[in-house]
Amino acid sequence: MYENLIEEAVTDENVTRALRAVIRNGGAPGIDKMPVGQLERQVREHWESLKGKLIEGKYTPSPVKRVEIPKAGGGTRLLGIPTVMDRFVQQLLLQVLGPIFESTFSEYSYGYRPGRSAHDAVKQSQKYVREGKSWVVDFDISKFFDTMHHDILMRRIGCTIRDKRVLRLIGRYLRAGVMVHGVCVETEQGAPQGGPLSPLLANIYLTPLDEELEKRGLSFSRYADDCNIHVGSARSAERVFESIAAWIREYLRLELNQEKSGSGRPWDRKFLGFRILETGEIAVAPANIQRLQTKVRTLWDARRSGTSLELRNRWQRFVKGWWNYFRLAGARREITDLDSWIRRHMRKCFWLRWHSSRGRQRAFRRLGVPARQAKVARSSRGAWRISRHPAMHMALSNERLRQYGFLVFQDLAAE
């Protein structure tokens, strides 16, 4: 079964697709510092040698570069950035292995799969709540990508894939090591986030969990290592939580994040940044509203460098990205109620950036504020209080802010 996959991986068509995918995805260089822009030339110049190594099972990946990025909820996430060439080879494998394993994945698994998204996972949870399953068991696996056990993963892959060259190559990627401060540290478990192959390996690893949940007849929705199981009572939720947590520890040898895992009502829990209300509507989780407010304060801090145009562009990138994800929420009042507060931060920022009473008078004159109202430019009151003054609303009206691209959520909802 699937004994000659390397030959499929190195076909001209697969190579072309992989090149395009890696170049399109971009990303930082690995330990060799080669940028994505040089990949196509490198592949063309060295393809015959690389192809020979892959077919003979002699290709050896490089260690990944360790990068720490901040998590939205605090702490850091460890990323392992492979070299661009290793990302290309992983992409070759992914395009061959993906369709094989895709047919084995659960209908209720939504992460890292073609044609599926976090929104689909949340809508599946919404469906369960509307069916009356208004208690939820919420699992979040602690450091999942860093703690996957290689033997469990390789056994699972080996049940389907018989090409030993593919198995050896995946094993080498898992054990390639991490470069930390110039020293290569061996990796005995985990799959580094940052390479094209890791999301597929994650789904392969967690498929037995999906199978166990289906065997028990449980209603669930999983996105990567975030999983919600919906039941009809508090007692059932407690029982399922204890039972499945024990199963995960025994059969997957993984531990749950105790702070993020538990059971309760869907409107009191968070799933992928959302919560499901008693009415069955989807709403943004309070923690994400709080993080939005923190980001607004940061982006509209007058001490930040940049021109007004740069301020606007930074804001647009953030607010459009945030809205594109959270627009799934049907209950939007918590979001749109922030619009006037956001505009007030904008006005406060510009008041401070106009610096002096003379600069503010010039700005008011340029923006058509009559002299009588413009007297406030000499005020010593704090910027937050002044941001509500009629002169500031006249200078930077909602319409003017919208016209120059300083958008808020009502603007985006109307598009």
Side-chain angles (χ1 to χ4, degrees), residues 28-187:
I31 62 170
D32 63 354
K33 301 182 180 180
M34 187 179 89
V36 173
Q38 293 182 15
L39 175 63
E40 187 169 6
R41 179 174 59 82
Q42 287 288 320
V43 170
R44 286 178 176 172
E45 290 179 1
H46 303 288
W47 174 239
E48 289 305 318
S49 172
L50 175 60
K51 180 179 179 181
K53 288 180 181 178
L54 290 170
I55 290 175
E56 294 168 15
K58 295 180 179 179
Y59 182 81
T60 301
S62 301
V64 299
K65 182 171 72 174
R66 170 63 51 83
V67 176
E68 294 186 13
I69 60 171
K71 289 184 178 180
T76 58
R77 175 179 287 110
L78 299 178
L79 290 186
I81 309 298
T83 64
V84 175
M85 188 62 75
D86 280 337
R87 297 209 292 269
F88 168 66
V89 174
Q90 286 191 37
Q91 187 68 33
L92 291 175
L93 290 179
L94 174 64
Q95 291 169 182
V96 172
L97 296 176
I100 294 171
F101 284 99
E102 179 63 26
S103 62
T104 70
F105 292 155
S106 169
E107 179 184 350
Y108 306 103
S109 163
Y110 296 94
Y112 313 127
R113 296 180 62 187
R116 290 170 172 248
S117 69
H119 286 183
D120 296 321
V122 175
K123 285 191 262 188
Q124 184 62 49
S125 278
Q126 178 189 40
K127 179 173 178 288
Y128 293 140
V129 173
R130 287 177 169 172
E131 290 172 352
K133 295 171 182 174
S134 58
W135 289 86
V136 65
V137 177
D138 180 5
F139 287 114
D140 183 276
I141 297 171
S142 180
K143 299 180 179 178
F144 169 62
F145 278 92
D146 298 328
T147 57
M148 284 193 288
H149 284 255
H150 293 170
D151 289 346
I152 294 175
L153 176 60
M154 294 307 299
R155 279 199 301 270
R156 184 77 187 181
I157 298 172
C159 289
T160 302
I161 303 302
R162 292 288 187 255
D163 190 328
K164 292 183 179 179
R165 296 165 298 177
V166 170
L167 297 175
R168 280 197 300 269
L169 184 51
I170 294 173
R172 286 172 184 164
Y173 271 117
L174 295 174
R175 299 187 301 273
V178 178
M179 193 67 72
V180 181
H181 303 304
V183 177
C184 182
V185 179
E186 292 184 1
T187 45

